[in-house]
């Protein structure tokens, strides 16, 4: 079939089963947009900023498990998208991002809207391509999708000059990929797996340390089986929320900087860490030399570079977590769950000593209550995304997650402005679930233009703005570590969030009480349109417990015990 | 990183394609690793090139470098050399007024010779281990070298 480069892009998307493309047109990508106009195989969602297009593609990818796709123009279109690429790279999200480029003849001449896009994206993508000949396009697009979704997933960027999208060549997508230099390890080494299982059988206080890699590998249900059959308690990273259900008796909680007391203590006391799809991030480990100090480490990960990068692994296993866990389950009879009875009790005692909780306040709603309440009212029926800040940590702590892919949040990069566009992508992938975005009064303004996208495409995302009139997370650090000098974090001057939503054609609520909140949420879910629910919450609430940056996990600042009134 | 920093030689086999070199050097600069020397040339009758990189770092840093290099899509293989034969070429330009036979004799001791003699200058070339090249360069200082160029090391595992 002889077709243009632009048509090849469309045909490749169709062949890859793409049903949604997020994007924004411009000069260099117009040939491709012309072909989008002529087809009806996939929908195109016009975000109102290229950063939002990439975040939406991330939300879509995370919720669906498929490769997310975004399309942008050259120059400023591309540079706007860079934050999204970096975000996806940090959180290992499979994306293919196609950008237009100035024609080949103009590359290197500082042409209008020319930027060295592959030069910029090199350090924040898994791989990238500058296509110089349409003959290469079928292979490159096929490789891009393959590389994005295999191994440790990540974003792949394909930059296509305008004349290449006009060039007519033979298109054959039915090609065998020959990636001699890219062969991800997927099967774990059987000898190492056997040794690891023996170590687990011998351990007295083993602990599962579950990470986001489990969700990427679609291994959550195998991991659940492993946890239940072994009777070994588990802690989850922020990215792993939903691997175990919140009510699982063996789930201790989330660990790390804002992890629960019991989780962080369990990690400090364990004699064997069973790390699955984790990367020992500094927000998780605290001071490295004190992290799981008395423990041996089993580390299963698809990325050899993650293993022994920060913490030495006694039992390194490179492979797809799902395959490895299945192989481990085949030897589960080695493990006797009764052996860990007293260890489970020790952990329960930790939890009783300092449970994860908060104190209600008679004057103002507490943000934690709001999150918990959404959990009670919607629970499993909602998919949750968040922005970045205190509300994000409280979402990780207090939402009752029941399943993998229920939770989408910018973990590695911590990108304010992620939540709303990501929730649009989540809703596009899972229309049957309510899409909730927990956001802050700071973050929501960083991609607020997405109100227009959501209203136009009738994508009813409910944004719950936990309004503390502060850049709360930064304010918390200032309160605790900068002697209350609240430098440039006071957001007392604010828009009218209700009117703001209404101005774009959404609906808005401002609530102060529990009753008002329940009524607003119920109404928003029923009306099924784009909504802002602005909740006026306590201004000075801190996220607790907290391990100060660089401190040891067992040295937590804890919630003050409630003063008797 | 204050652990023992040592000199290391790493060879990388890569697909010979546009931008592959910047992928590799970006990886070093983005992570704050230093490159002491770098040589690249195509491997005959293949689609690959071979890079020899001399760098320095602790065992842990080198292990990370090796793994990160391997993660790059066009990288086929990474060798961190332990037992290797390592060589480097240096060329030196002297004023023609210097003592030719002295220089000639010195060069021979370092696997080299005079490769060009012009009206005003002579050019000598030696090929030896990088450490010995250092010694050679010290020894020829008194002949007033005008220009020195080193190729960077290449290495083969024994
Ligand atoms: C793009 C970006 N800029 C700055 C930051 C630093 N930062 C982290 S949390 C935060 C405050 C967020 O405020 P808000 O959205 O109101 O959430 P809150 O913490 O109040 O819940 C800031 C400024 C960031 N993470 N991302
Ligand atoms: Mg705030």
């Amino acid at each position: 079939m002889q077709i243009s480069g632009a048509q090849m892009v469309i045909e490749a998307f169709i062949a890859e089963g793409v049903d949604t493309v997020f994007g924004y047109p411009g000069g260099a990508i117009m040939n491709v947009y012309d072909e989008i106009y002529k087809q009806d195989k996939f929908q195109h969602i016009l975000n109102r900023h290229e950063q939002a297009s990439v975040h939406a593609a991330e939300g879509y990818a995370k919720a669906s498990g498929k490769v997310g796709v975004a399309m942008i123009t050259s120059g400023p279109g591309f540079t706007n998208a860079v934050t999204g690429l970096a975000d996806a790279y940090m959180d290992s999200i499979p994306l293919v991002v196609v950008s237009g480029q100035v024609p080949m003849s103009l590359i290197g001449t500082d042409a209008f809207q020319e930027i060295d896009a592959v030069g910029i994206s090199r350090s924040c993508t898994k791989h990238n391509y500058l296509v110089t000949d349409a003959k290469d396009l079928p292979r490159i697009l096929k490789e891009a999708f393959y590389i994005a979704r295999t191994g440790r997933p990540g974003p792949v960027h394909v930059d296509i000059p305008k004349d290449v999208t006009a060039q007519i060549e033979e298109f054959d997508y039915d090609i065998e990929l020959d990636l001699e230099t890219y062969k991800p390890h997927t099967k774990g080494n059987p000898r190492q797996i056997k040794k690891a299982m023996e170590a687990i059988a011998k351990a007295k206080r083993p602990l599962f340390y579950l990470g986001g890699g489990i969700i990427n590998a679609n291994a959550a249900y195998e991991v659940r089986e492993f946890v239940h059959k072994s009777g070994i308690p588990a802690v989850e990273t922020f990215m792993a929320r939903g691997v175990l259900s919140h009510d699982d008796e063996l789930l201790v909680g989330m660990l790390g900087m804002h992890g629960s007391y019991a989780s962080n203590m369990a990690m400090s006391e364990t004699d064997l860490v069973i790390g699955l799809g984790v990367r020992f991030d500094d927000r998780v480990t605290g001071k490295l030399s004190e992290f799981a100090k008395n423990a041996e480490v089993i580390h299963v990960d698809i990325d050899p570079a993650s293993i022994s990068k920060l913490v030495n692994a006694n039992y390194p296993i490179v492979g797809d977590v799902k395959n490895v866990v299945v192989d481990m389950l085949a030897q589960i009879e080695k493990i006797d769950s009764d052996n860990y009875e007293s260890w489970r009790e020790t952990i329960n005692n930790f939890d009783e000593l300092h449970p994860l909780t908060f104190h209600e306040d008679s004057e103002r709603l507490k943000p934690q209550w709001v999150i918990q309440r959404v959990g009670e009212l919607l629970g499993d029926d909602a998919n949750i995304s968040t922005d970045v800040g205190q509300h994000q940590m409280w979402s990780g702590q207090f939402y009752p997650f029941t399943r993998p892919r229920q939770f989408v949040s910018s973990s590695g990069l911590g990108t304010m402005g992620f939540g709303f566009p990501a929730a649009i992508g989540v809703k596009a992938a899972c229309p049957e679930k309510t899409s909730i975005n927990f956001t802050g009064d700071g973050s929501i303004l960083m991609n607020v233009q997405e109100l227009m996208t959501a209203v136009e495409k009738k994508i009813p995302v409910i944004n719950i703005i936990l309004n503390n009139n502060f850049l709360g997370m930064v304010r918390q650090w200032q309160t605790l570590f900068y002697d209350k000098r609240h430098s440039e974090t006071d957001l007392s001057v604010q828009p009218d969030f209700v009117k703001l939503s209404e101005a774009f054609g959404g609906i808005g609520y401002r609530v102060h009480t529990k009753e008002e909140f329940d009524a607003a949420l119920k109404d928003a879910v029923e009306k099924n349109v784009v909504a802002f629910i602005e909740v006026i919450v306590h201004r000075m609430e801190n996220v607790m417990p907290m391990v100060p940056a660089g401190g040891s996990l067992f040295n937590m600042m804890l919630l003050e015990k409630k003063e008797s009134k | 990183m204050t652990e023992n920093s040592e000199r290391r030689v790493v060879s990388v086999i890569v697909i010979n394609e546009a931008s592959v070199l910047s992928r590799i050097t970006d990886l070093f600069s983005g992570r704050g690793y230093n490159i002491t020397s770098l040589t690249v040339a195509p491997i005959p009758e293949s689609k690959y090139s071979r890079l020899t990189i001399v760098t320095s770092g602790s065992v842990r840093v080198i292990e990370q470098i090796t793994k990160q290099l391997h993660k790059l899509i066009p990288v086929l293989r990474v060798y961190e050399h332990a037992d290797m034969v390592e060589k480097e070429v240096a060329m030196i330009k002297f004023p023609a007024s210097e003592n030719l036979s002295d220089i000639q004799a010195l060069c021979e001791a370092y696997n080299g010779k005079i490769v060009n003699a012009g009206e005003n200058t002579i050019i000598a070339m030696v090929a030896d281990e990088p450490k010995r090249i250092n010694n050679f360069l010290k020894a020829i200082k008194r002949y007033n070298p005008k220009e020195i160029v080193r190729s960077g090391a290449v290495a083969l595992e024994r």
Side-chain angles (χ1 to χ4, degrees), chain B residues 100-114 124-128 132 136 140:
Chain B
L100 239 144
S101 57
D102 275 16
I103 293 173
Q104 174 92 26
L106 251 175
C107 285
E108 274 164 20
Y110 289 90
N111 230 341
K113 59 183 176 191
I114 289 170
M125 184 214 80
V126 290
D128 214 325
R132 286 181 48 81
F136 171 78
I140 49 107

Side-chain angles (χ1 to χ4, degrees), chain A residues 388-391 414 416 440-443 446 468 470-474:
Chain A
V388 172
Q390 293 184 306
H391 63 274
M416 288 172 70
D441 46 315
S443 296
M446 283 213 183
N468 52 13
F470 267 122
L471 295 173
M473 186 56 97
V474 183

Side-chain angles (χ1 to χ4, degrees), chain A residues 441 444-445 448 467 491-500 510 534:
Chain A
D441 46 315
I444 189 63
L445 291 184
V448 75
N467 191 351
L491 300 183
S492 288
V493 178
Q494 297 211 317
D496 181 328
F497 285 110
V498 175
K499 282 193 193 148
L500 185 58
R510 181 173 301 111
E534 178 195 7

